[in-house]
Amino acid sequence: DAGVIQSPRHEVTEMGQEVTLRCKPISGHDYLFWYRQTMMRGLELLIYFNNNVPIDDSGMPEDRFSAKMPNASFSTLKIQPSEPRDSAVYFCASSFPPGQRNTIYFGEGSWLTVV
Amino acid sequence: AQSVTQLGSHVSVSEGALVLLRCNYSSSVPPYLFWYVQYPNQGLQLLLKYTSAATLVKGINGFEAEFKKSETSFHLTKPSAHMSDAAEYFCAVSAGGYNKLIFGAGTRLAVHP
């Protein structure tokens, strides 16, 4: 069974360029999460969706960041324009609805470097 | 609001020694607690979780954790470390369901021969 699939795995871009990170959640999961990991701030929840609808985007750092989920099997996180301080690992995760037996599954991350 | 504090950003043990990684939480409601492991250049993998059932939780790879409400702790242990346990470990808390995991800063475990 395929896990959460993220692309690209690694990206190096110049400051000011647009960056789009992609995520395919596990089939059947109706919760999708975007996390960012940095040395300074650790793991931060940016936004999460339920049934393709954004539920909580309070972690999105600023207007340069946007996330969409056009259907149940695809989500994007876009940064426009990118800045060096956006360099981080971005994780996508998915799960079934909250409950005692459910687990949040993480993808392998997208390593972003903005120079 | 929920929060997690992991004591010790780096822990080093000898192969075969006890592993103890400390986690204290803060939550205004009964929490769900998790330990995740991250191997180099990989995503996070769930080790174990506490969801208000048994206070002693057993996970994968021989790890276990005990929920102690009086101490607001959820420390991770393994009786005998293996070289393959070298990784970063994250404690996380969620209240009111699994919607939002709040992670600790992580503890990097080194295992030496």
Side-chain angles (χ1 to χ4, degrees):
Chain A
D1 187 17
V4 177
I5 300 173
Q6 293 187 243
S7 64
R9 286 296 313 277
H10 299 272
E11 176 142 352
V12 180
T13 191
E14 292 186 347
M15 182 174 62
Q17 296 298 307
E18 177 179 292
V19 173
T20 299
L21 307 178
R22 297 172 178 80
C23 175
K24 176 179 170 57
I26 293 172
S27 178
H29 285 186
D30 50 9
Y31 278 80
L32 184 138
F33 309 83
W34 282 101
Y35 280 86
R36 178 172 69 175
Q37 185 179 32
T38 61
M39 290 291 293
M40 293 297 294
R41 300 175 67 89
L43 277 156
E44 305 171 277
L45 177 64
L46 300 179
I47 185 172
Y48 78 91
F49 295 82
N50 176 215
N51 291 324
N52 314 337
V53 176
I55 302 300
D56 183 350
D57 65 354
S58 59
M60 295 286 264
E62 49 196 277
D63 291 345
R64 297 184 297 105
F65 285 71
S66 62
K68 294 183 179 180
M69 193 166 185
N71 58 62
S73 59
F74 183 66
S75 176
T76 60
L77 178 67
K78 187 174 294 186
I79 308 172
Q80 166 64 15
S82 58
E83 297 182 3
R85 61 194 168 117
D86 301 331
S87 298
V89 185
Y90 292 82
F91 288 104
C92 179
S94 70
S95 75
F96 287 116
Q100 290 201 0
R101 282 180 282 182
N102 291 331
T103 296
I104 296 178
Y105 294 88
F106 284 77
E108 297 206 331
S110 292
W111 266 249
L112 174 65
T113 302
V114 183
V115 299
Chain B
Q2 293 79 41
S3 66
V4 169
T5 301
Q6 292 184 241
L7 301 176
S9 58
H10 290 80
V11 170
S12 181
V13 300
S14 299
E15 191 173 20
L18 171 71
V19 175
L20 171 60
L21 305 182
R22 299 177 187 275
C23 172
N24 288 90
Y25 70 91
S26 173
S27 177
S28 55
V29 298
Y32 291 165
L33 293 160
F34 307 80
W35 277 99
Y36 279 83
V37 61
Q38 184 179 28
Y39 298 102
N41 300 318
Q42 294 188 24
L44 282 77
Q45 179 183 4
L46 181 70
L47 275 178
L48 49 79
K49 59 187 175 185
Y50 166 76
T51 57
S52 75
T55 57
L56 181 62
V57 182
K58 294 187 184 298
I60 62 172
N61 302 339
F63 284 93
E64 63 181 36
E66 186 172 8
F67 172 70
K68 292 187 176 180
K69 184 178 179 181
S70 61
E71 299 177 6
T72 61
S73 69
F74 190 57
H75 301 331
L76 182 70
T77 60
K78 182 174 181 178
S80 176
H82 192 273
M83 298 295 287
S84 61
D85 294 327
E88 187 147 20
Y89 292 80
F90 293 91
C91 183
V93 64
S94 176
Y98 288 15
N99 298 69
K100 294 177 68 170
L101 283 180
I102 307 300
F103 285 89
T107 297
R108 186 168 298 277
L109 175 67
V111 182
H112 52 85

